[in-house]
Amino acid sequence: MTARTDHKAAVTRFGLVAVLLAGYESVARAGMLDRQAFLPVSTAVADAVRLLADAVFWREHLGPTLGEVLAALALGTATGFGLGVVLWRSRLAYEAVQPWLLLVYAIPVFALYPIFIAVLGGGAAPVIAVGALVAFPAVAINTAIGFRATRDVLAQVGRAYGLRMAGLVRQVYLPSAWPYVFSGIKLAASYAIVAVVGTEFILSTHGLGHEIAYAYNSFDTARMYAAITVVLVIAIVTVIGLGSVEKRLHRRQG
């Protein structure tokens, strides 16, 4: 994809979102929706800005959620990459384990939260564990696929220069497979955000998920939409940020 085509795609993508948001804003301001349940986008954004200016909100909700998401992503990425290398090395292991990794996305992992509490205790650790559990399969599967897609001739050249397995992984397989690995990390980041906020929503006593649930149960619609807006901003910034890193790596590889 050329830079011009990439730019057009980005403009079109954001243009569609802008049209949808503008349409919703118009409908909400015209009173065609329940004012108690549906707030205009501009109101939600203004409330989110005020929320972000609140030090207590940062300390009790936003800060813990960001820390848990980063920890879950780091743990999920490290675990997934290590398992992905193992699955690449063993075809039997890949065929045996890969279906079970996909099964993670078919089961309600939030139901495992009480087990994590029993094992890890209270606090942030169980939330991070749930996030990592949801995040690591994407990295593992994509790492295994990427390493398997690496051409044998590249490994042969590496061996000709005296590289051992660790050197081959670092200097041959990883540079060749990084688009797959990075795609897995991007998916893992999205899954980690969903898992962490969802777990906070259901069972935690802190974080953005808890804030949304508390506002909903308290009929504080404005604060609920403000917190939801903050979650959306985190997700958007994460996706855009990882996309920028990926493009930089692509240019460096090129």
Side-chain angles (χ1 to χ4, degrees), residues 6-25:
D6 191 37
H7 177 71
K8 286 184 177 179
V11 171
T12 303
R13 188 182 308 123
F14 286 105
L16 289 173
V17 173
V19 169
L20 290 174
L21 292 178
Y24 172 80
E25 176 84 9

Side-chain angles (χ1 to χ4, degrees), residues 73 84 119 138:
L73 178 59
V119 175

Side-chain angles (χ1 to χ4, degrees), residues 82-160:
L83 179 58
V85 172
V86 172
L87 298 182
W88 156 64
R89 294 288 292 165
S90 172
R91 183 70 184 183
L92 177 61
Y94 179 82
E95 296 295 342
V97 174
Q98 189 255 4
W100 295 107
L101 292 177
L102 295 177
L103 188 62
V104 170
Y105 301 116
I107 62 176
V109 293
F110 303 121
L112 302 177
Y113 186 79
I115 299 176
F116 287 120
I117 290 180
V119 175
L120 301 173
V127 180
I128 294 171
V130 172
L133 177 63
V134 175
F136 91 92
V139 180
I141 293 173
N142 279 273
T143 297
I145 293 174
F147 276 44
R148 288 184 176 278
T150 300
R151 292 182 297 170
D152 291 337
V153 65
L154 298 178
Q156 292 171 4
V157 171
R159 293 190 188 95

Side-chain angles (χ1 to χ4, degrees), residues 16 31 39 65 110 133 154 162 171 184 192-193 205 234 241 252-253:
L16 289 173
L39 297 181
T65 295
F110 303 121
L133 177 63
L154 298 178
Q171 299 186 38
I193 293 172
T205 58
I234 291 173
R252 186 176 299 176
Q253 288 289 329

